């Protein structure tokens, strides 16, 4: 009986509070909307591909490969190799998809079943879309023919290149995750917790300005979060290469300016997230409610940071979008670019958003409806 | 008559009724008038009591005086500062105590005294001097470094009281000062109020306890439905017995007997 009463109380608390019901439904709605958006962005009609492939040696298998490519609606252009170095440079520059080299008398394997020394090598750049796609098609066709010849894949991308590419995609997302969780753990308790316990009201009775109270929360919480985020970030930086089996110091080789911009982007991003969570916590009536809203925000921020990995070459308009701007320019920095003005403007934009949120929080602290539910 | 230190002028405050509240009270009204044109004055060195039943508008009035909520109409002046136009200056002049305002359990009385002193802009040297005096006077000094969450109810109440006057305010506002307290803690509070009066402070308190008014208050305002029903010294209002006078007034105004 007591247990039932206790359970009923919890159900009553939840289902009689429209706000909590909304917070339960919101994640689903947000996920649906965001995944629909991401899906549409990712699955747009791919452009028709014209594979330019340097060909050394001869084989009838090229006709099968060409047929497979054309079956997909794409085309292939076989180019003679006049100078091996030039051809290699064209592949490296992404101007050609691959260099396909057949050994002499390769096609003998089709007439003399005892022959096993035919080889075909495909030199390509796995980081190049056309290169990796041509290799995948050729490899599939040759495997299907199933004769006794060997296929050699020659990647021009070094292990370091691949490692850096992976990091470039993943790291901004990881940074966002750690920053957000660091901010969330300290901010919810400090703002929503204080409001719920009535200790925030005690401060409101003093002559401290509401803006001072808002800043007095956001600034130290941002500093604490920064430490948490930094410690997590460094942990990832030093453990990830080993975790992924990449023997590369992927942050090595960048310019000092890149490090500086990266740090600035993170520094601008942390107070923004803290200000966002603080504002939500001020509006919420309890820690429970604040954490429910913040979970939705967390999904939103994480999906936004993942979107950046799916959308190559986002325009400079991204500067105006908080979070996304930091993620995109962090990616560019990790890719070796130095988007100086874009990063600096993004930092300024993020700080402006933070200032706007401090203003909103100040207004909320002055609102008797929000603070005292009247 | 001594110097007027608090003046409320036609204070009015209305609240929106939630759908649930409307259902419970079986009313179609969407707004509820909590305080309706309330005016009164309190003078330096006196204890002024706002007496009334639950829902009469006492707490709302004190919250307006403490600048936690804004009046919809009217104004109040504390030491000449308007609660509407100059709330920050008002907050420097008042100490506000209510059971809704809590102290963070993680901190010690020593830390909180310094913190709230800084919040009110009290100069460091003055703050330390006040801390020594007040902690010694109320026996907090031995518990100065104990976390608030580990203090007894009585000691916690003392700490809350002392912190509410950390900045030596001219006016002390107490909402239901002895509500929910055991007899010993309640005595701590009433002694504290008497002490404050002796120190020349003006005190405004709200209560529905007749004995508290009789024991402490110099003047009293009786509130029904957000309006001032009677105001004056205890002798003027009570005419011998405060409780009987209160219910006679209630009957005369509301036409109901309790």
């Amino acid at each position: 009986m007591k247990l039932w009463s206790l359970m009923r109380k919890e159900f009553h608390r939840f289902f009689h509070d429209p706000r909590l019901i909304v917070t339960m439904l919101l994640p689903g709605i947000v996920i649906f909307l965001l995944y629909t958006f991401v899906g549409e962005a990712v699955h747009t009609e791919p452009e028709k591909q014209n594979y330019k492939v340097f060909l050394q040696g001869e084989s009838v298998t090229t006709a099968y490969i060409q047929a497979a490519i054309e079956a997909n609606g794409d085309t292939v252009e076989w180019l003679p190799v006049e100078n091996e170095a030039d051809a290699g440079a064209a592949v490296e520059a992404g101007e050609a998809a691959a260099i396909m080299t057949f050994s002499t008398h390769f096609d003998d394997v089709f007439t003399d079943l005892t022959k096993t020394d035919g080889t075909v090598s495909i030199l390509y750049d796995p980081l190049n879309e056309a290169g990796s796609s041509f290799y995948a098609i050729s490899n599939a066709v040759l495997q299907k023919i199933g004769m006794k010849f060997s296929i050699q894949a020659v990647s021009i991308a070094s292990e370091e290149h691949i490692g850096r590419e992976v990091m470039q995609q993943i790291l901004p997302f990881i940074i966002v995750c750690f920053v957000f969780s660091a901010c969330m753990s300290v901010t919810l308790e400090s703002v929503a917790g204080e409001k719920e316990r009535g200790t925030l009201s005690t401060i409101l009775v003093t002559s401290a300005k509401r803006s001072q109270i808002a800043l007095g929360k956001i600034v130290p919480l941002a500093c604490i979060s920064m430490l948490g985020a930094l410690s997590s970030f460094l942990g990832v930086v030093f453990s990830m290469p080993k975790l992924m089996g990449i023997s590369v110091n992927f942050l090595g080789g960048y310019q000092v300016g890149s490090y500086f911009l990266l740090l600035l982007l993170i520094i601008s991003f942390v107070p923004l997230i803290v200000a966002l969570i603080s504002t939500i916590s001020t509006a919420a009536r309890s820690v429970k409610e604040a954490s429910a809203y913040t979970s939705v925000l967390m999904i939103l921020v994480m999906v936004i940071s993942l979107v950046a990995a799916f959308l190559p070459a986002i325009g400079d308009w991204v500067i105006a979008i908080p979070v996304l701007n930091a993620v995109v320019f962090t990616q560019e920095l990790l890719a070796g670019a130095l988007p100086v003005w874009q990063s600096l403007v993004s930092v300024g934009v993020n700080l402006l958003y933070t200032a706007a949120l401090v203003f909103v929080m100040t207004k909320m602290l002055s609102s008797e409806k929000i603070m005292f539910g009247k | 008559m001594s110097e007027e230190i608090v003046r409320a002028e036609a204070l009015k405050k209305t609240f929106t009724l939630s759908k649930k509240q409307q259902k419970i009270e079986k009313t179609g009204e969407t707004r509820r008038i909590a305080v309706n044109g309330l005016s009164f004055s309190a003078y330096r060195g006196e204890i002024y009591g706002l007496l009334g039943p639950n829902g009469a508008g006492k707490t709302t009035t004190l919250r307006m005086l403490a600048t936690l909520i804004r009046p919809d109409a009217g104004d109040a002046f504390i030491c000449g500062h308007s609660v509407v136009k100059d709330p920050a200056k008002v907050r420097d002049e008042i100490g506000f105590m209510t059971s809704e305002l809590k102290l963070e359990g993680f901190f010690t009385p020593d830390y909180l005294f310094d913190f709230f002193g800084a919040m009110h802009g009290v100069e460091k040297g003055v703050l330390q001097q006040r801390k020594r005096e007040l902690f010694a006077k109320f026996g907090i000094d031995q518990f100065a470094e104990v976390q608030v969450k580990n203090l007894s109810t009585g000691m916690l109440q003392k700490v809350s009281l002392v912190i509410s006057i950390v900045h030596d305010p001219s006016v002390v506002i107490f909402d239901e000062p002895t509500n929910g307290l055991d007899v010993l803690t309640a005595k701590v509070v009433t002694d504290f109020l008497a002490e404050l009066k002796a120190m020349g402070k003006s005190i405004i308190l709200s209560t529905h306890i007749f004995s508290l008014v009789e024991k402490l208050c110099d003047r009293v305002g009786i509130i029904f439905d957000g309006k001032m029903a009677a105001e004056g010294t205890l002798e003027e209002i009570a005419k011998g017995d405060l409780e009987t006078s209160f219910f006679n007034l209630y009957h005369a105004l509301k036409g109901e007997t309790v």
Side-chain angles (χ1 to χ4, degrees):
Chain A
M1 194 62 190
K2 282 181 184 171
L3 178 64
W4 171 237
S5 299
L6 285 164
M7 285 163 57
R8 215 170 48 176
K9 188 195 120 228
E10 286 307 311
F11 283 124
H12 186 91
R13 168 80 187 87
F14 190 88
F15 288 108
H16 283 75
D17 190 337
R19 285 199 193 201
L20 287 180
I21 294 173
V22 168
T23 58
M24 188 180 68
L25 297 177
L26 258 182
I29 296 165
V30 171
I31 287 170
F32 172 76
L33 292 174
L34 284 170
Y35 280 20
T36 306
F37 169 70
V38 172
E40 279 179 7
V42 172
H43 299 296
T44 46
E45 193 63 31
E47 282 181 23
K48 293 292 170 202
Q49 196 72 256
N50 177 31
Y51 298 100
K52 289 183 178 171
V53 180
F54 287 103
L55 187 61
Q56 287 191 114
E58 284 180 9
S59 171
V60 291
T61 54
T62 54
Y64 298 121
I65 294 168
Q66 184 165 344
I69 287 171
E70 286 172 355
N72 283 337
D74 297 327
T75 55
V76 61
E77 196 179 330
W78 303 104
L79 306 167
V81 178
E82 283 158 11
N83 179 309
E84 258 188 61
D86 287 348
V91 172
E92 203 166 341
E95 292 159 6
I99 302 174
M100 200 168 193
T101 309
F102 290 95
S103 59
T104 45
H105 309 298
F106 179 84
D107 284 354
D108 287 356
V109 293
F110 298 109
T111 50
D112 182 354
L113 295 177
T114 60
K115 275 188 84 72
T116 56
D117 59 350
T119 58
V120 51
S121 89
I122 304 166
L123 181 140
Y124 72 106
D125 180 356
L127 303 179
N128 176 278
E129 199 186 331
S132 60
S133 155
F134 177 78
Y135 171 74
I137 296 168
S138 314
N139 190 43
V141 170
L142 292 167
Q143 295 280 0
K144 202 165 186 184
I145 292 170
M147 303 304 287
K148 290 184 177 173
F149 54 77
S150 59
I151 307 165
Q152 293 172 352
V154 183
S155 166
I156 62 158
S158 63
E159 208 176 56
E160 282 79 1
H161 274 110
I162 298 168
R164 184 168 290 184
E165 177 76 10
V166 172
M167 285 303 158
Q168 184 197 329
Q169 298 294 331
I170 294 177
L171 203 60
F173 173 70
I174 292 174
I175 292 173
V176 168
C177 290
F178 282 122
V179 165
F180 202 99
S181 52
C183 296
M184 199 160 109
S185 60
V186 293
T187 310
L188 278 179
E189 173 53 26
S190 176
V191 181
E194 277 226 45
K195 186 182 172 189
E196 191 176 5
R197 290 190 296 274
T199 51
L200 192 57
S201 304
T202 314
I203 300 172
L204 290 176
V205 184
T206 69
S207 54
K209 289 179 185 163
R210 272 41 177 168
S211 55
Q212 289 172 327
I213 298 171
L215 275 173
K217 284 279 177 204
I218 290 170
V219 173
L221 290 175
C223 293
I224 296 165
S225 304
M226 201 98 73
L227 284 177
L230 198 66
S231 117
S232 308
F233 172 68
L234 289 176
V236 171
V237 163
F238 293 116
S239 66
M240 193 59 110
K242 283 189 177 173
L243 181 73
M244 299 185 71
I246 304 164
S247 57
V248 56
N249 174 15
F250 67 93
L251 282 181
Y254 290 112
Q255 300 169 47
V256 176
S258 300
Y259 288 110
F260 180 68
L261 289 178
L262 189 65
L263 190 68
L264 272 185
L265 282 169
I266 296 174
I267 285 174
S268 73
F269 177 63
V270 172
L272 176 65
I273 295 295
V274 167
L276 254 176
I277 301 174
S278 298
T279 308
I280 287 172
S281 299
T282 310
R285 287 177 302 189
S286 62
V287 177
K288 200 174 170 185
E289 190 180 316
S291 52
Y293 287 136
T294 310
S295 305
V296 177
L297 182 71
M298 189 167 177
I299 294 170
L300 189 78
V301 165
M302 283 176 183
V303 174
I304 283 176
S305 57
L306 269 180
V307 164
F310 288 112
L311 296 176
I314 298 178
D316 284 341
W317 56 266
V318 79
I319 286 172
I321 313 293
V323 181
L324 192 57
N325 56 14
V327 171
V328 167
F329 296 118
T330 300
Q331 271 184 334
E332 287 194 16
L333 284 167
L334 292 171
L338 198 62
V340 179
W341 75 265
Q342 294 95 328
S343 299
L344 291 177
V345 174
S346 296
V347 168
V349 166
N350 285 346
L351 293 178
L352 270 179
Y353 278 114
T354 308
L357 286 166
V358 171
F359 179 76
V360 172
M361 189 177 165
T362 303
K363 289 284 164 201
M364 282 179 164
L365 289 171
S366 308
S367 162
E368 60 192 64
K369 189 176 170 62
I370 291 169
M371 295 312 297
F372 303 105
K374 297 291 179 189
Chain B
M1 184 140 314
S2 60
E3 183 194 352
E4 183 186 67
I5 208 121
V6 176
R7 189 173 78 251
E9 287 180 352
L11 285 175
K12 187 173 181 183
K13 186 72 188 173
T14 51
F15 295 124
T16 307
L17 284 183
S18 66
K19 292 259 181 243
K20 199 173 174 183
Q21 236 168 327
Q22 288 176 39
K23 206 173 162 187
I24 291 166
E25 297 181 20
K26 292 175 186 159
T27 174
E29 285 177 10
T30 53
R31 306 284 293 172
R32 162 71 41 85
I33 301 172
V35 176
N36 194 0
L38 198 71
S39 300
F40 64 92
S41 294
Y43 301 93
R44 186 175 294 281
E46 77 169 10
I47 300 183
Y48 185 94
L50 281 174
L51 181 67
N54 289 341
K58 306 184 297 292
T59 299
T60 304
T61 304
L62 295 194
R63 280 177 160 199
M64 284 191 278
L65 294 181
T67 74
L68 283 178
I69 57 175
R70 274 172 74 95
D72 295 337
D75 201 347
F77 298 87
I78 293 180
C79 301
H81 305 298
S82 157
V83 296
V84 177
K85 292 178 189 143
D86 218 349
K89 282 202 172 135
V90 169
R91 287 194 281 270
D92 265 341
E93 298 287 356
I94 61 161
F96 184 47
M97 266 294 294
T98 161
S99 56
E100 288 168 80
L101 303 182
K102 304 272 169 45
L103 297 175
E104 193 76 31
F106 174 80
F107 299 106
T108 62
D110 183 69
Y111 180 91
L112 288 171
F113 194 90
D114 289 349
F115 171 75
F116 282 100
M119 287 291 100
H120 283 289
V122 182
E123 200 263 313
K124 224 172 179 176
V126 176
L127 189 67
Q128 295 312 311
Q129 177 68 24
R130 267 187 79 68
K131 184 160 67 180
R132 272 194 298 277
E133 285 170 11
L134 288 169
F135 277 24
K137 194 179 194 83
F138 294 99
I140 300 170
D141 38 7
Q142 291 171 332
F143 301 90
E145 295 303 332
V146 178
Q147 281 187 315
V148 161
K149 65 183 174 198
N150 295 325
L151 295 175
S152 66
T153 313
M155 187 50 66
L156 176 61
Q157 192 67 21
K158 281 184 188 177
V159 172
S160 301
L161 295 169
V162 162
I163 283 175
S164 71
I165 58 160
V166 62
H167 53 304
D168 197 14
S170 313
V171 180
V172 181
I173 300 170
F174 277 82
D175 187 20
E176 305 279 5
T178 57
N179 234 16
L181 300 180
D182 65 75
V183 285
L184 292 176
T185 316
K187 183 157 178 9
V188 169
V189 175
T190 50
D191 288 352
F192 181 80
L193 290 171
E195 192 80 45
L196 286 177
K197 186 188 167 186
M199 288 158 76
K201 307 290 178 198
S202 307
I203 299 152
I204 298 180
L205 59 87
S206 74
T207 186
H208 56 264
I209 303 169
F210 299 114
S211 60
L212 188 74
V213 174
E214 286 167 335
K215 186 177 174 188
L216 287 173
C217 296
D218 299 298
R219 292 192 314 120
V220 62
I222 296 177
I223 310 180
F224 291 127
D225 299 329
K227 290 179 185 165
M228 188 66 82
E231 192 192 14
T233 61
L234 264 180
E235 292 73 32
E236 288 164 355
I237 297 274
K239 296 176 186 85
D241 177 18
L242 180 62
E243 190 170 340
T244 309
S245 305
F246 179 89
F247 287 117
N248 286 342
L249 195 60
Y250 184 83
H251 178 67
L253 288 171
K254 309 256 298 183
E256 299 168 24
T257 46
V258 180

